[in-house]
Amino acid sequence: LSEAMRELKIAHAVTGFKAAYPQAFHYPAVTWDDIESTKIASFKSGCSNRDGYSIRIAANELSYRQEPKKILFVLSDGQPADYEGYVNDRAWNDVKQAVFETKQKGIKVISLFFGEECLVQTFKFMYDTPVFVPDLTVLPRALGEVFKRVYLE
């Protein structure tokens, strides 16, 4: 995704996130000024993430950008969860609310789902513009469709 945006001359940043209640951590892999995306390869998946909080942080950062079209891409397994009861309905509703708040700021949210098929309905509940990626072989085509849809609007 980062490489495609760079080739298309689209300003972007990439940040990973995780949580360990009561803290949340954000790891910038690509800053707005970077000319490469190699740090992304160091990301590792794991558990404990407060997606709603991290969506709000990213939306706040995007709201200060000068680009006329703002898009927040969220890559997810569809399972926001952390300690202190941030699971299931509470987490899903928080993500849905964070997506709504982001859209209210004029920022489009595109979610890429890399999770298990049994979580598709939950993912659709949280994100109203999901892109399903059942395996990485469909990722280039899926991204092409997303870019067309978003930039031709």
Side-chain angles (χ1 to χ4, degrees), residues 75-78 112-116 123 131 133 136 139:
L75 284 65
S76 175
D77 65 356
L112 298 172
F113 177 67
F114 293 90
E116 299 174 22
F123 201 74
V131 176
V133 184
L136 291 179
L139 186 58

Side-chain angles (χ1 to χ4, degrees), residues 98-112:
V99 169
F100 175 78
E101 292 165 13
T102 301
K103 289 169 41 181
Q104 292 296 105
K105 293 180 178 190
I107 301 168
K108 184 147 181 83
V109 178
I110 304 290
S111 56
L112 298 172

Side-chain angles (χ1 to χ4, degrees), residues 29-78:
V30 177
T31 66
W32 297 100
D33 300 318
D34 282 345
I35 58 171
E36 62 172 42
S37 306
T38 56
K39 285 192 259 179
I40 294 173
S42 68
F43 281 180
K44 295 191 177 9
S45 63
C47 54
S48 289
N49 50 347
R50 289 187 178 251
D51 294 25
Y53 175 78
S54 294
I55 288 168
R56 289 178 182 95
I57 294 292
N60 188 53
E61 181 179 341
L62 276 170
S63 70
Y64 289 105
R65 297 291 301 177
Q66 297 302 311
E67 290 79 12
K69 194 170 275 205
K70 297 176 177 88
I71 305 164
L72 175 60
F73 284 93
V74 180
L75 284 65
S76 175
D77 65 356

